């Protein structure tokens, strides 16, 4: 079996039995990046020197018989909005060009302590704002299943890198679907934890009440392994959840799902493309084969999620990005007047989509009259949406829906139509607004050979049940094991 087909547990087994060294494993993935990334364009930067040094250290410890963590020596890559002290962290924005952080994000610190080796930063829509990775200030990432198609966004670099097996796993960030939608488009597994489960410390902010870091992997079990490491309380993050006992995401993942009650929102039917609807029906049949009870449920305010999100998220983005003004942070456009300095800095070094969302956010926050009409109303609707889902979860264990209303679209097809692009997140926005865990897993391929994902949503902090159903589904299907033919 090729290394690219192995899970994290299998890679760990090879390393700990000394069938392969950490340096050899790292070089395998570095060679795949060299061979394939010229076409996919997922990586922003590679730190081969630093990664090789770390890999050699783990090899030396194993050779000397020293105890090492079980996953020591496995490479990883992360989205370019996560701070580390060796590579540039610019969130794919020119305003942060060349910025190297003086500290590292908590998630990276914990993964390094667990033995994983960071070797690359991955492309994204600028400041994680977008659904196609076409808003990066560097270049556009392509979908490994068909290079003419979008990998989704904003974590498109992360999902494309995992799909092409240029890294065994990656980290992404999800504000309104930015892990799950690209995971669906690229045929990989993307997990958004419940809000507060994973530290946001060291992650460049987009919308502070929505942002969440999560793993992008080839299986739900691998996602649970990564969550066991990163999904713990962090005192550096004031929004980090502190449970009575440390969370355990792998425990019970093999317990089976017979008798689980699954709700399917009836409101989604009119929004699905035919190929997505067909594969979704087959998925529901598989869940019934597993012994799940699948029934329709009502979520009457589902369509309100898009206008609600696109008031709340831009408002928070406008507040978070106010620091990039040419004075406090980031690049500066030199000018003789303060007004021109502000204007030129933000128009020259921020992309069109980021400017659009800042303007929308500032409009929502600009006056008591406007914020009363828009921002406060959006927050009230968000609470009603949360109550709708809480009501469903009183009778059902999980909610299942397609991840995206459509299969992957061609690059360029939606760049001139912002609203059409926003509707790519119709089915991922709800769990972001109510704060629960959600995972996208591959459900099959459409007639053009492009991946389609299905999404499992759980109640707040019921992350383990979401992972358990995803794992059970993957135990009886092979979609998640498929690799694009040009990359196998």
């Amino acid at each position: 079996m090729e290394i690219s087909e192995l899970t994290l547990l299998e890679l760990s087994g090879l390393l700990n039995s000394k069938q392969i060294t950490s340096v050899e494993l790292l070089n395998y993935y570095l060679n795949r990046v060299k061979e394939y990334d010229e076409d996919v364009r997922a990586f922003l930067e590679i730190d081969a020197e630093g990664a090789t040094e770390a890999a050699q250290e783990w090899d030396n410890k194993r050779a000397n018989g020293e105890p090492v963590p079980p996953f020591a020596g496995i490479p990883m890559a992360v989205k370019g909005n996560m701070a580390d002290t060796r590579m540039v962290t610019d969130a794919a924005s020119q305003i942060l060009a060349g910025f190297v952080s003086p500290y590292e994000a908590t998630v990276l610190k914990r993964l390094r302590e667990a033995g994983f080796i960071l070797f690359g930063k991955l492309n994204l829509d600028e400041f994680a704002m977008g659904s196609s990775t076409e808003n990066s200030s560097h270049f556009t990432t392509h979908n490994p299943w068909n290079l003419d198609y979008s990998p989704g966004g904003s974590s498109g670099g992360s999902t494309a890198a995992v799909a092409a097996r240029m890294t065994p796993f990656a980290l992404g960030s999800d504000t309104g679907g930015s892990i799950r939608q690209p995971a669906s488009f690229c045929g990989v597994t993307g997990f958004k934890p419940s809000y507060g489960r994973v530290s946001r410390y060291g992650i460049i902010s987009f919308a502070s009440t929505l942002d969440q870091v999560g793993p992008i992997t080839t299986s739900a079990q691998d996602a649970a392994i990564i969550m066991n490491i990163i999904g713990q309380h962090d005192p550096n993050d004031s929004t980090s959840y502190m449970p009575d006992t440390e969370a355990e995401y792998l425990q019970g993942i093999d317990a089976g799902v017979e008798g689980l009650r699954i709700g399917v929102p009836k409101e989604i039917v009119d929004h699905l493309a035919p190929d997505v609807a067909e594969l979704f029906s087959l998925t529901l049949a598989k869940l019934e084969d597993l012994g799940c009870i699948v029934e329709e449920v009502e979520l009457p305010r589902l369509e309100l999620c898009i206008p609600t999100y696109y008031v709340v998220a831009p408002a928070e983005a406008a507040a978070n990005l106010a620091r990039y003004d040419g004075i406090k942070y980031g690049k500066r456009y030199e000018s003789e007047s303060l007004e021109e300095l502000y204007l030129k800095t933000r128009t020259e070094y921020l992309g069109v989509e980021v400017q659009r969302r800042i303007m929308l956010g500032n409009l929502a926050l600009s006056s008591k009259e406007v914020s009363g009409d828009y921002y406060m109303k959006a927050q009230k609707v968000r609470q009603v949406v949360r109550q709708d889902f809480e009501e469903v979860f009183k009778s059902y264990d999980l909610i299942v829906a397609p991840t995206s209303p459509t299969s992957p679209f061609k690059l360029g097809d939606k760049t001139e139509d912002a609203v059409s692009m926003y509707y790519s997140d119709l089915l991922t926005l709800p769990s972001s607004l109510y704060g629960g865990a959600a995972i996208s897993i591959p459900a099959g391929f459409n007639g053009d050979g492009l991946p389609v994902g299905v999404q499992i949503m759980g109640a707040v902090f019921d992350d383990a049940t979401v992972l358990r159903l995803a794992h059970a589904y993957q135990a009886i299907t092979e979609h998640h094991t498929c690799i694009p033919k040009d990359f196998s």
Side-chain angles (χ1 to χ4, degrees), residues 3-12 29 71 74-75 111 116 162 165 167-171 188-191 214-230 249-250 253-254 439 441 467-468 470-471 474 480-481:
I3 288 175
S4 60
E5 300 174 31
L6 301 181
T7 66
L8 293 180
L9 283 175
E10 290 167 335
L11 290 175
S12 173
Y29 284 104
F71 299 100
I74 296 179
L111 286 167
F116 291 99
V162 174
R165 301 305 195 266
T167 179
F169 80 96
L171 291 185
V188 296
T189 299
F191 182 62
I216 295 162
T217 60
T218 58
S219 72
Q221 185 176 54
D222 280 1
I225 288 170
I226 301 304
M227 280 299 298
N228 265 3
I229 299 166
I230 66 174
Y249 302 89
L250 268 175
I253 198 169
D254 291 314
I439 192 169
I441 54 177
L467 289 164
R468 178 156 56 98
H471 178 65
Q474 290 182 337
H480 64 290
T481 67

Side-chain angles (χ1 to χ4, degrees), residues 236-260:
N236 290 323
D237 179 1
S238 62
T239 63
S240 177
Y241 173 61
M242 184 184 292
D244 294 332
T245 58
E246 290 290 359
E248 169 57 60
Y249 302 89
L250 268 175
Q251 186 176 359
I253 198 169
D254 291 314
V257 295
E258 187 170 357
L260 278 185

Side-chain angles (χ1 to χ4, degrees), residues 33-78:
V33 174
K34 185 177 180 180
E35 182 177 0
Y36 296 126
D37 200 49
E38 185 176 344
D39 294 326
V40 178
R41 309 208 74 187
F43 282 82
L44 294 174
E45 187 177 356
I46 296 288
D47 180 19
E49 180 181 353
T52 301
E53 289 175 3
Q56 189 62 62
E57 286 180 14
W58 289 122
D59 284 341
N60 292 341
K61 288 183 177 182
R62 282 195 173 95
N64 294 332
E66 298 178 44
V68 299
F71 299 100
I74 296 179
M76 65 175 179
V78 302

Side-chain angles (χ1 to χ4, degrees), residues 460-484:
V460 177
F461 300 137
D462 194 14
D463 301 46
T465 305
V466 172
L467 289 164
R468 178 156 56 98
L469 181 60
H471 178 65
Y473 176 81
Q474 290 182 337
I476 64 169
T477 59
E478 296 183 347
H479 314 309
H480 64 290
T481 67
C482 297
I483 302 175

